[in-house]
Amino acid sequence: MFLKVRLPILLTFFAGLIPIVAFFFKDGTPYVKTLSSSLEQDMVIVSGFALLLGVVNVVQGNVRKIERREKGWFYAIVLLAGMAFMGLFGAAGAMRLFGLPGIGMMADGRPTPFQWGSLYLFTPLQATMFALLAFYIASAAFRAFRIRNVEATILLVAAVFVMLGRIPIGEPLFGPITEWMMQVPNGAAQRGIIIGAALGAASLSLRVILGIERSYLGLDKSE
Amino acid sequence: MTGMELFGTWIAALLTLCLMSFLYKDNPLFRFAEALFAGVSLGYYIGITMDQTLRPNLFEPLRDSGLTLETGHLLFAGLVGLNLYTRYVPKIAWFARSSLAIYVGYYVGINMVQKLQGEVLPQAAATMVDLTGGGSPTDALNALVVFIGVLTVLIYFFFSVEHKGVFGKASRVGIWFLMLGFGAAFGYTVMGRISLLIGRINFLVIQWIGGTLQALGIGG
């Protein structure tokens, strides 16, 4: 019980307390500040391992799909092949294996396999995927911007002004009012959202540190 | 354009067209490109994480300096990271909780300080400015609008009191400010997506068709 439940909660408490306590000390203060900065460097490393944990999950799910010949299993093979190509060449480049100088360009100016994949697979696919949203955003706009009440009208006017104010033909006429809208009322709304979200995040952090919130460990309040 | 570059351009162009085919309807070519995108993205982040996070912070310091007093904590970090993978061994899956606890604990701690010190206090200070502080009347009016906006948006987000009466009216004004903010964000998103679309069409016309014609010795 202690090792499975109490210890993780205590570890969260102490790990959370270290950066908070360190905040009240000057840079270079022995023990407190050095411990906090060491932990900061360590957590960057752990975050790397955590990201690769997601990769293991994806591999597991897709291998299962292929084994069971579930619907769309062929696309699971494509996904794994794409991941293997970029992941293996990326890892080999990062570790400087097989004569690869890194994940960027070779000494003679040719791209490494990882860089080639990044230039001709990842970048165009990503850009096109987001560009496709330009079409779907139009239908979303139609639904969102139908003038039904004051709120929808404000949404419509703000969006139209921003769009017109940012193109060459509309900039002379709508530019100043767009600028004012972005700086003043939009700035106020963003500021309100930032303050509200930050207060919410801070209170959630406190709940986690104090062990009130435990769902991230897969525990409920009774445990 | 070298042969390898032309080959890459053709691959990129065909994949672009595969994805764009979704505008007609869902089809196997789109799903192929979509699955490839998911896989390639994951692989890309593996490479980036290995090269920019694990190599400079863990592997290189340990390789260059060995296990010393200064680098000892890196071994601890590596073990904490590896311990996350015990979740795949059912009998000792609970080991991973300790790593997760340290990881989450540290980041919520630092997050709490950063949010309060880096966001709440500066934003609140920038909202509460002196209206008679020497600026023009327009500046004072703008500062007043910002103050009213921030206050009413925060009132809207305050759910511990029922939104009725004066509180409800202030909350309604908060919604108007929020709608204006969302409208502006929507407008920006549309412009960004259109810009990306123009970029892809430029790529198809200039780099793919133009580059191929050039390679064939047709055109300038």
Side-chain angles (χ1 to χ4, degrees), chain B residues 21-203:
Chain B
S21 68
F22 187 71
L23 293 173
Y24 172 59
K25 66 175 185 181
D26 195 4
N27 64 77
L29 287 176
F30 169 77
R31 296 185 70 194
F32 171 84
E34 186 192 33
L36 187 67
F37 174 51
V40 164
S41 302
L42 261 175
Y44 177 81
Y45 290 113
I46 293 174
I48 294 292
T49 304
M50 293 286 288
D51 190 65
Q52 290 172 15
T53 305
L54 295 180
R55 186 178 56 82
N57 290 301
L58 180 65
F59 302 138
E60 272 185 355
L62 281 178
R63 188 197 62 198
D64 297 344
S65 312
L67 198 58
T68 62
L69 211 58
E70 281 78 34
T71 58
H73 71 95
L74 299 178
L75 195 66
F76 160 76
L79 290 174
V80 169
L82 282 175
N83 190 37
L84 284 169
Y85 293 84
T86 55
R87 60 183 296 155
Y88 294 111
V89 186
K91 275 189 180 171
I92 53 164
W94 58 271
F95 275 25
R97 273 184 197 165
S98 298
S99 291
L100 199 62
I102 297 171
Y103 182 59
V104 171
Y106 178 77
Y107 277 113
V108 295
I110 209 157
N111 186 46
M112 194 172 130
V113 175
Q114 283 174 347
K115 290 286 177 193
L116 292 177
Q117 204 243 347
E119 290 183 11
V120 175
L121 297 180
Q123 295 289 349
T127 307
M128 293 179 278
V129 292
D130 180 8
L131 297 178
T132 60
S136 67
T138 318
D139 290 341
L141 188 68
N142 285 342
L144 190 66
V145 173
V146 169
F147 177 75
I148 293 168
V150 174
L151 191 68
T152 52
V153 167
L154 287 176
I155 285 173
Y156 171 72
F157 282 129
F158 192 68
F159 298 114
S160 302
V161 177
E162 201 179 342
H163 288 192
K164 62 182 186 185
V166 178
F167 202 80
K169 285 192 173 65
S171 160
R172 183 97 198 275
V173 175
I175 295 174
W176 294 344
F177 273 94
L178 282 172
M179 286 299 138
L180 202 142
F182 294 148
F186 191 90
Y188 257 120
T189 309
V190 172
M191 299 302 280
R193 298 292 185 257
I194 295 284
S195 168
L196 274 173
L197 183 65
I198 293 168
R200 293 322 296 157
I201 291 169
N202 265 343
F203 165 76

Side-chain angles (χ1 to χ4, degrees), chain A residues 13 26 30 45 58 62 75 88 96 98 106 108 118 125 141 146 148 167 176 188 213:
Chain A
F13 177 74
K26 279 191 298 187
I45 295 165
V58 172
N62 281 283
Y75 302 110
L88 291 175
R96 312 292 189 258
F98 311 118
M106 304 267 209
D108 59 5
S118 170
L125 281 169
R146 267 183 300 180
R148 287 164 302 193
I167 54 172
E213 177 64 51

